[in-house]
């Protein structure tokens, strides 16, 4: 008999007799846990927390049993990925007859330890919350969109692009940025709104340089670049920002289909596909290929392969702007 798939997104997390939060993305773990705990507390439960790594035999059964203080229980078990043999045995037994008046939340940060427990949890149909690390920008953009949607706020395409340029490399910073924009602004969130809050970020500056370079605006690109360098920005992320823009353009070149279809295939967000398509229209294939070679050379130079990282990034930006005008 096939195991029922029970892995669900953090945004759908809710109490269950047993629920596991699986993954090492601390932001998602915290948000899923907060959703479950907030909902469970409506029953005014007795709350108990313990660590599975230092667990002593019998603790789970005792914690989950009805008491004089409250008929409902909320039990948080941390570090299940490091659980003791006593915990593993007790937890496997508990799944056979859980207390329906208890909510047991198991936090498992990943790894093979506890695999038997996960398999039995899935087989029994108990929910597992997906809190895996979001490794690519597309997934982090989807996370931000989910946050805005749940808050009934709209961010337009340019606003999302600006937000991801400024904060998209780190989920914790992105989440904090979403919180601030939701709390401090009204109406549609545009690129101008995002820029008021985060336009001075190194990442944002790098993408502004990239935006100017790929349309052939060498004067503006170099002006932005030199300002960034004079205020302490490192050449490495500046090169990376321009290179990322070029790779996105190369990915979409020659592909047909809707942005949604390509987004899934190319591991990009739909807005990234649309933007890359608009930008690549002015480029020919040879020039784009040459720019990618220049990106590799500049990347090596700013990471120690050249004598002058500042010269390397300035040359690279100038070269991209020049190639953007090649017909």
């Amino acid at each position: 008999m096939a195991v029922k798939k029970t892995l669900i997104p953090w945004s759908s997390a809710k109490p269950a007799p047993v629920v596991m939060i699986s993954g090492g993305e601390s932001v998602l773990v915290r948000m899923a846990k907060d959703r479950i705990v907030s909902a469970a507390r409506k029953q005014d439960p007795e709350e108990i927390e313990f660590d599975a790594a230092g667990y002593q035999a019998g603790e789970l059964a005792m914690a989950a049993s009805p008491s004089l203080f409250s008929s409902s229980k909320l039990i948080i078990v941390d570090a299940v990925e490091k659980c003791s043999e006593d915990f593993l045995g007790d937890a496997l037994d508990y799944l056979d007859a859980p207390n329906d008046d208890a909510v047991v939340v198991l936090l498992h940060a990943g790894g093979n330890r506890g695999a038997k427990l996960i398999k039995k949890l899935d087989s029994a149909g108990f929910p597992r919350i997906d809190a895996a690390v979001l490794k690519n920008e597309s997934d982090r953009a989807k996370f931000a969109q989910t946050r805005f949607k749940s808050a009934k706020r709209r961010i337009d395409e340019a606003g999302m692009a600006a937000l991801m340029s400024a904060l998209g490399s780190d989920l914790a910073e992105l989440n904090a940025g979403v919180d601030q924009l939701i709390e401090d602004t009204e109406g549609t969130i545009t690129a101008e709104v995002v820029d008021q809050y985060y336009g001075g970020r190194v990442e944002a500056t790098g993408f502004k340089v990239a935006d100017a370079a790929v349309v052939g605006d060498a004067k503006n690109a170099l002006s932005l670049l030199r300002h960034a360098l004079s205020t302490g920005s490192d050449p490495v992320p500046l090169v990376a920002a321009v290179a990322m823009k070029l790779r996105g353009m190369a990915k979409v070149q020659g592909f047909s289909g809707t942005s949604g279809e390509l987004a899934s295939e190319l591991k990009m967000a739909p807005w990234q596909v649309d933007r890359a398509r608009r930008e690549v229209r002015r480029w020919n294939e040879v020039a784009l290929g040459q720019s990618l070679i220049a990106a590799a050379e500049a990347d090596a130079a700013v990471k120690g392969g050249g004598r002058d990282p500042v010269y390397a990034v300035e040359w690279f930006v100038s070269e991209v702007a020049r190639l953007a005008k090649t017909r």
Side-chain angles (χ1 to χ4, degrees):
M1 181 172 152
V3 173
K4 180 181 177 183
K5 185 178 181 181
T6 54
L7 198 64
I8 61 177
W10 66 269
S11 55
S12 298
K14 59 184 180 181
V18 183
V19 54
M20 178 179 281
I21 301 175
S22 292
E25 187 68 80
S26 59
V27 172
L28 301 186
V29 171
R30 176 176 55 80
M31 297 186 76
K33 180 182 172 183
D34 286 349
R35 285 179 62 89
I36 295 168
V37 169
S38 178
R41 281 177 175 165
K42 294 177 182 178
Q43 302 300 319
D44 193 25
E46 179 184 351
E47 299 186 28
I48 302 167
E49 294 190 27
F50 55 80
D51 191 311
Y55 177 88
Q56 299 296 315
E59 282 186 293
L60 178 58
M62 184 179 296
S65 297
S67 70
L68 295 174
F69 302 102
S70 175
S71 60
S72 61
K73 299 289 189 75
L74 173 59
I75 302 165
I76 309 293
V77 185
D78 199 7
V80 176
E81 75 282 358
K82 301 174 184 176
C83 67
S84 67
E85 285 296 324
D86 284 337
F87 175 81
L88 185 57
D90 283 359
L92 289 168
D93 289 342
Y94 184 77
L95 291 182
D96 292 329
N99 177 8
D100 290 337
D101 291 324
V103 174
V104 178
V105 183
L106 307 174
L107 306 181
H108 191 294
N112 295 325
R113 185 65 175 161
K116 286 183 181 179
L117 179 60
I118 293 172
K119 184 177 180 179
K120 187 167 183 177
L121 193 84
D122 288 343
S123 297
F126 291 111
R128 262 197 313 128
I129 311 303
D130 185 3
V133 174
L134 303 184
K135 295 181 179 179
N136 60 65
E137 188 178 77
S138 177
D139 288 338
R140 292 190 289 273
K142 288 177 183 176
F143 166 83
Q145 284 285 17
T146 299
R147 292 286 330 277
F148 285 120
K149 186 176 180 180
S150 66
K152 295 182 170 56
R153 294 297 304 278
R154 180 177 180 272
I155 181 168
D156 65 19
E157 181 181 316
M160 179 56 73
L163 181 61
M164 294 306 296
S165 294
L167 305 175
S169 62
D170 184 275
L171 191 67
E173 290 189 348
L174 178 61
N175 185 52
V178 171
D179 280 339
Q180 184 171 29
L181 291 170
I182 289 172
E183 291 293 326
D184 294 354
T185 68
E186 296 180 354
T188 299
I189 299 167
T190 63
E192 289 73 24
V193 171
V194 174
D195 203 48
Q196 288 175 8
Y197 286 85
Y198 306 113
R201 300 272 307 184
V202 171
E203 294 92 337
T205 301
F207 281 94
K208 287 177 181 177
V209 172
D211 288 342
V214 300
V215 298
D217 187 353
K219 181 178 180 181
N220 191 31
L222 288 170
S223 176
L224 288 165
L225 174 65
R226 286 163 184 162
H227 175 72
L229 292 168
S230 69
T231 54
S233 295
D234 192 288
V236 174
L238 294 169
V239 168
V242 181
M244 184 182 296
K245 172 82 70 174
L246 294 169
R247 287 195 297 271
M249 292 162 55
K251 281 183 178 181
V252 303
Q253 191 173 51
F255 278 89
S256 59
T258 67
S259 58
E261 292 168 345
L262 286 182
S264 176
E265 183 176 348
L266 300 176
K267 305 298 183 184
M268 298 169 69
W271 62 264
Q272 290 176 306
V273 173
D274 288 335
R275 187 168 184 173
R277 277 176 154 176
R278 289 195 300 270
E279 290 164 339
V280 81
R281 288 191 191 113
R282 67 175 64 241
W283 284 72
N284 67 55
E285 291 185 7
V286 174
L288 186 54
Q290 291 172 333
S291 75
L292 290 170
I293 293 172
E297 293 174 354
D299 182 68
V302 297
K303 290 180 178 177
R307 286 182 290 182
D308 189 344
V310 171
Y311 171 79
V313 68
E314 287 190 347
W315 167 82
F316 174 45
V317 169
S318 298
E319 185 70 357
V320 170
R322 181 187 70 80
L323 289 168
K325 294 183 176 180
T326 303
R327 294 291 180 268

